[in-house]
Amino acid sequence: MKSRRASRYQRQEDPNGFILQPRDVAVLLSVDAYAFLARGQIQKLHFGEQSPYGGRSAGTYRACRRLRQLYDHRYLDRLWAPRTAFGLPDPLDAPLAITGSPPALYRLGAAGIPVVARAREEDIKLVAKRSRRRPKPAILAHEFLLNELRLQLAL
């Protein structure tokens, strides 16, 4: 019997074993510094560039797999903004347009907050307060684009 693919919108109820690695801590610190990061942005910082040919590179595969594990183990949370916040057409307005999902934006999860607080030697309450804000969808898209600019300047 074929197993069903895990939903991208829900955590696995009983994820496999997991050992937090130094690169995972670096990912958590980056997500905290930028507030919200998409997979592609995290990949640029920690997993290598995407394939120049448009396919999935080894870095893309590793980033997706590790981010899924960090998400399932509650080190990261995912936020979903509406398609229109990212300039994608609403399927109801343009049913024949090429459609796609907006990127998932990652922020610190409950298990990631103490890791970041310990790594930065900060009070856990300050890290929790900073990571728990939930901006409106239009602000998420704005922060996504600001983070793109910050990454271009940093790299």
Side-chain angles (χ1 to χ4, degrees), residues 124-138:
I124 196 167
K125 291 179 183 175
L126 291 174
V127 176
K129 183 179 179 182
R130 190 170 56 232
S131 69
R132 290 294 107 196
R133 68 185 183 91
R134 185 167 179 124
K136 294 182 175 156

Side-chain angles (χ1 to χ4, degrees), residues 41-101:
Q41 295 170 329
I42 294 170
Q43 182 178 337
K44 286 178 192 172
L45 288 169
H46 300 287
F47 293 91
E49 281 294 326
Q50 296 179 4
S51 170
Y53 306 108
R56 289 179 64 127
S57 68
T60 302
Y61 174 77
R62 282 192 306 272
C64 289
R65 186 167 166 253
R66 202 60 183 175
L67 289 172
R68 178 65 198 215
Q69 290 174 326
L70 288 167
Y71 171 70
D72 285 340
H73 289 273
R74 302 187 183 281
Y75 288 97
L76 292 175
D77 287 336
R78 288 181 181 161
L79 299 174
W80 303 94
R83 296 169 42 78
T84 52
F86 287 91
L88 298 171
D90 188 337
L92 298 175
D93 294 338
L96 299 178
I98 297 173
T99 60
S101 298

Side-chain angles (χ1 to χ4, degrees), residues 12-63:
Q12 289 183 357
E13 289 185 24
D14 188 21
N16 295 334
F18 180 78
I19 298 173
L20 196 65
Q21 300 295 323
R23 179 166 59 182
D24 299 330
V25 175
V27 167
L28 296 175
L29 291 171
S30 294
V31 169
D32 179 57
Y34 286 88
F36 306 97
L37 287 175
R39 189 260 322 142
Q41 295 170 329
I42 294 170
Q43 182 178 337
K44 286 178 192 172
L45 288 169
H46 300 287
F47 293 91
E49 281 294 326
Q50 296 179 4
S51 170
Y53 306 108
R56 289 179 64 127
S57 68
T60 302
Y61 174 77
R62 282 192 306 272

Side-chain angles (χ1 to χ4, degrees), residues 1 3 11 13 23 35-36 38 50 52 115 119 122 134-135 148:
M1 184 166 143
S3 64
R11 288 185 166 92
E13 289 185 24
R23 179 166 59 182
F36 306 97
Q50 296 179 4
V115 174
E122 281 186 68
R134 185 167 179 124
E148 277 292 309

